[in-house]
Amino acid sequence: MTAPTCVWDLKATLGEGPIWHGDAVWFVDIKGHRVHRYAPATGETSSWDAPDQVTFVAPRVGGGFVAGLKSGLHHFTPEMGFTFISEIEDAGLDNRPNDSTVDALGRLWFGTMHDGEEADSGALYRLEADGSLTLHDAGICITNGPAVSPDGKTFYHTDTLGKVIWAFDIGAEGSLSNKREFFRLAIEDAWPDGSVVDAEGFVWTALWGGRGAIRISPEGQIVQRVELPAINVTKPCFGGPDLKTLYFTTARKGLSDEQLAAAPLCGGLFALPVDVAGQPQYEVRLDLR
């Protein structure tokens, strides 16, 4: 396997949430309050300011993106910016959304987390087409890595500080049951961050503090580890015409001047060719009135 390449050295404070949509990688800088787009065919880069912390963007059937901000869910388009849709939780919790995924039926799954990374106030939600939210899991400080298996039967959800990835069975109507431990990270000074599942059902998980990512079998065993020249790797996504390029977002948040001097590409966007393709990026089914 070739080494990952930094394709955009943008030095994001907290790069997160990459997705492949419209022949480009879309991602966010949560603490930088920006949405970014990178088009690999041309190398073109674009950025848009957000009104507050923007944590994910997910393409929507009918156009634009559903965006998670600390203030709630928004509809985002590059032309019109951000339009408020609804609140997520009581502002008194001091929570914000974090990671997200869209399943093959167009349902958006996302977690919330305590913005100060102290209280176990985070939860996992599913967004319905009518805009309502269904609560599925709770009591987590930093939620991460929602992802779905290719057959649509297994859902993965990460407790970053607990260093565990949970698996659930998905019911026909989107219910989650049979919560069980899928994987527990035993690497010192590293925490499981965002995840994505490839076409063979293997889970790729970014390692915050771990300078790379791991590929985990459906049985919960590490089968591959890749290293990046960045300390805090936040999330992978599959892109390219054949979905055989892994893109990784990274972060500079929490690193000392000495660490940044030794790893100056922290906060960049990286690309890595892989042998096994990913799943398509599905679009959110959400009625906007």
Side-chain angles (χ1 to χ4, degrees):
M1 177 177 289
T2 59
T5 301
C6 184
V7 294
W8 188 0
D9 181 16
L10 76 166
K11 294 180 170 36
T13 302
L14 185 52
E16 260 288 6
I19 60 168
W20 178 258
H21 179 69
D23 298 324
V25 182
W26 294 77
F27 62 105
V28 300
D29 181 350
I30 296 176
K31 297 301 181 182
H33 300 190
R34 306 201 87 191
V35 176
H36 299 292
R37 178 184 182 271
Y38 168 72
T42 62
E44 179 186 5
T45 61
S46 307
S47 302
W48 296 266
D49 291 328
D52 61 74
Q53 295 182 72
V54 55
T55 69
F56 66 79
V57 290
R60 173 185 165 268
V61 174
F65 299 81
V66 178
L69 280 73
K70 186 171 183 179
S71 55
L73 297 177
H74 289 65
H75 183 230
F76 165 71
T77 66
E79 300 78 18
M80 300 299 293
F82 292 83
T83 303
F84 180 78
I85 298 175
S86 63
E87 293 182 347
I88 300 169
E89 296 171 326
D90 188 314
L93 292 173
D94 193 27
N95 279 358
R96 64 167 174 83
N98 200 32
D99 206 357
S100 73
T101 194
V102 184
D103 67 20
L105 297 178
R107 298 176 297 207
L108 174 70
W109 302 79
F110 68 93
T112 60
M113 61 170 280
H114 186 243
D115 202 16
E117 301 180 11
E118 296 176 345
D120 292 336
S121 53
L124 173 69
Y125 295 94
R126 186 184 77 242
L127 177 68
E128 307 296 347
D130 63 2
S132 62
L133 292 174
T134 301
L135 174 68
H136 286 281
D137 204 7
I140 302 170
C141 182
I142 301 177
T143 63
N144 245 313
V148 180
S149 62
D151 62 7
K153 295 181 179 179
T154 305
F155 184 88
Y156 300 99
H157 183 221
T158 300
D159 176 351
T160 290
L161 293 187
K163 288 192 164 189
V164 63
I165 301 176
W166 300 101
F168 301 77
D169 296 335
I170 305 177
E173 301 303 318
S175 61
L176 297 184
S177 62
N178 189 26
K179 181 179 180 179
R180 57 204 180 269
E181 183 174 310
F182 166 68
F183 174 79
R184 185 174 294 272
L185 186 67
I187 300 173
E188 188 176 359
D189 296 327
W191 291 262
D193 208 301
S195 296
V196 67
V197 184
D198 66 25
E200 293 183 348
F202 287 66
V203 180
W204 280 93
T205 295
L207 300 177
W208 180 274
R211 301 174 182 265
I214 51 177
R215 186 176 186 237
I216 308 167
S217 72
E219 293 73 38
Q221 301 298 316
I222 297 176
V223 297
Q224 189 174 353
R225 182 172 179 178
V226 299
E227 295 185 357
L228 274 74
I231 298 169
N232 294 331
V233 184
T234 55
K235 187 168 183 176
C237 81
F238 287 93
D242 56 2
L243 296 176
K244 284 189 174 182
T245 300
L246 266 179
Y247 289 93
F248 296 92
T249 46
T250 64
R252 299 169 70 84
K253 177 180 178 289
L255 300 178
S256 67
D257 292 341
E258 290 77 13
Q259 287 175 308
L260 292 173
L265 294 177
C266 290
L269 177 69
F270 292 82
L272 174 68
V274 291
D275 295 329
V276 179
Q279 301 180 67
Q281 172 62 51
Y282 299 110
E283 297 183 341
V284 181
R285 296 188 179 276
L286 175 64
D287 299 327
L288 295 177
R289 297 177 177 86

